[in-house]
Amino acid sequence: MFDKFKKEEGGEMVEDRPEENTAEETPENTVSETPSQIGIGELMGKRAQLEEAIDYVGLMIKNLKDKRTLLEKDIEEESVDIKNLKEKLQKVSEYIEEENRGISELAEKRKQVESEADEVGSIINNLREKLSGVDRIIDDEGSRVRKIKESRESSYN
């Protein structure tokens, strides 16, 4: 029934055209049919051609459905891949935001530590000045004590 149809390169069905016979037809090659007065034979031939055409159209519809199904499958796979990529990018974005928050927190902590270090430096300087003051007082008192001892020693001698 499909003998006169064949599939071409693009997947499309086309009617196979019989090659023309170059030999002349002889009376032995033709079947002698006498056409009926009503033409029922011709009508039956047309019906058979219409059935073949309908079958051909059905085959084309099936091919189109198969192609559409493949496209739908490809699109769905791409959609899943894109959704996965989007989720990965969202996770990367969240990671970057988290790291930025962490960097901000570290910068704030560094600022606090630096401020405390400045305070400690200031305290050290203040204590150094106080110690220097105490050292001067001790040196001054030590000098007085020595002078007093020297003056006593020289007065006893």
Side-chain angles (χ1 to χ4, degrees):
M1 182 180 281
F2 295 110
D3 293 342
K4 67 188 243 179
F5 297 105
K6 68 177 181 179
K7 199 168 192 174
E8 280 193 348
E9 275 186 34
E12 207 172 303
M13 297 291 284
V14 293
E15 186 174 346
D16 188 17
R17 308 221 185 267
E19 295 182 19
E20 293 183 24
N21 193 355
T22 55
E24 288 187 32
E25 292 186 15
T26 60
E28 292 114 19
N29 291 343
T30 57
V31 177
S32 61
E33 286 185 27
T34 54
S36 70
Q37 288 182 339
I38 300 177
I40 196 86
E42 292 172 355
L43 184 61
M44 290 173 71
K46 284 184 180 181
R47 179 195 48 80
Q49 288 177 343
L50 288 173
E51 283 178 351
E52 286 180 10
I54 288 171
D55 289 343
Y56 173 72
V57 168
L59 186 60
M60 287 177 62
I61 289 171
K62 181 193 177 303
N63 287 339
L64 288 172
K65 284 183 178 180
D66 290 346
K67 287 179 183 179
R68 189 192 76 225
T69 300
L70 287 174
L71 284 174
E72 287 174 352
K73 181 182 173 190
D74 288 345
I75 289 170
E76 183 61 30
E77 287 174 359
E78 289 299 319
S79 175
V80 168
D81 289 346
I82 289 172
K83 285 177 185 176
N84 288 339
L85 288 173
K86 187 177 179 182
E87 286 175 7
K88 287 178 183 178
L89 290 174
Q90 285 174 337
K91 287 179 182 179
V92 168
S93 179
E94 289 170 6
Y95 172 77
I96 290 170
E97 287 176 15
E98 184 179 318
E99 288 302 312
N100 283 336
R101 277 192 305 272
I103 289 171
S104 294
E105 289 173 5
L106 286 174
E108 186 61 35
K109 284 181 182 180
R110 183 203 48 84
K111 226 184 229 183
Q112 288 174 352
V113 169
E114 189 175 336
S115 177
E116 288 177 6
D118 289 345
E119 283 180 38
V120 168
S122 181
I123 291 170
I124 289 172
N125 285 336
N126 286 339
L127 291 176
R128 187 181 293 150
E129 287 176 19
K130 288 179 182 179
L131 285 173
S132 293
V134 169
D135 191 40
R136 271 185 298 228
I137 292 172
I138 290 174
D139 283 344
D140 288 347
E141 288 300 315
S143 292
R144 283 190 194 138
V145 168
R146 263 185 263 122
K147 284 182 187 178
I148 294 174
K149 279 187 181 181
E150 287 176 1
S151 69
R152 281 191 195 160
E153 288 178 4
S154 55
S155 54
Y156 289 119
N157 287 338

